[in-house]
Amino acid sequence: MTINSNSSIASGVSASFSTSASALNSISVSVSSGQTNVAGNGTAVGSFSTFQSSLKGVSSSVVKAGDNINSVAKEFERIDQKIAQLPNLSFGGL
């Protein structure tokens, strides 16, 4: 029986996650203006500020997920290499 893990696929996924996180970080909405004083403008500015903070949180989570995927894939690959070094055992036709 051969077990073949491929951490390079996971590395590609992790890199894709990082690219997505970078795109999320680049989203910036500027709604603050010292020249407008419309009722509710303060609430809108606060909402967009919260939105941008939330995007940064999502971005961090995406990067962390990509790192975790990559880490687990490397661990599977390491375990597969250990298994490959084990002698072939015969269990009476199993």
Side-chain angles (χ1 to χ4, degrees):
M1 176 170 76
T2 302
I3 302 171
N4 293 316
S5 293
N6 189 341
S7 65
S8 65
I9 293 170
S11 292
V13 169
S14 182
S16 177
F17 277 29
S18 291
T19 300
S20 297
S22 183
L24 284 173
N25 280 330
S26 71
I27 296 172
S28 178
V29 179
S30 178
V31 295
S32 181
S33 172
Q35 297 179 359
T36 50
N37 190 9
V38 179
N41 194 37
T43 303
V45 169
S47 294
F48 277 108
S49 177
T50 300
F51 172 72
Q52 286 181 316
S53 293
S54 297
L55 277 180
K56 298 226 183 287
V58 168
S59 174
S60 294
S61 295
V62 168
V63 168
K64 186 174 181 178
D67 290 345
N68 288 341
I69 288 169
N70 200 28
S71 176
V72 168
K74 285 181 180 178
E75 186 64 15
F76 279 146
E77 196 169 67
R78 186 188 69 76
I79 291 169
D80 288 349
Q81 289 171 359
K82 292 278 187 186
I83 290 170
Q85 294 172 0
L86 295 174
N88 289 333
L89 302 175
S90 178
F91 294 105
L94 293 178

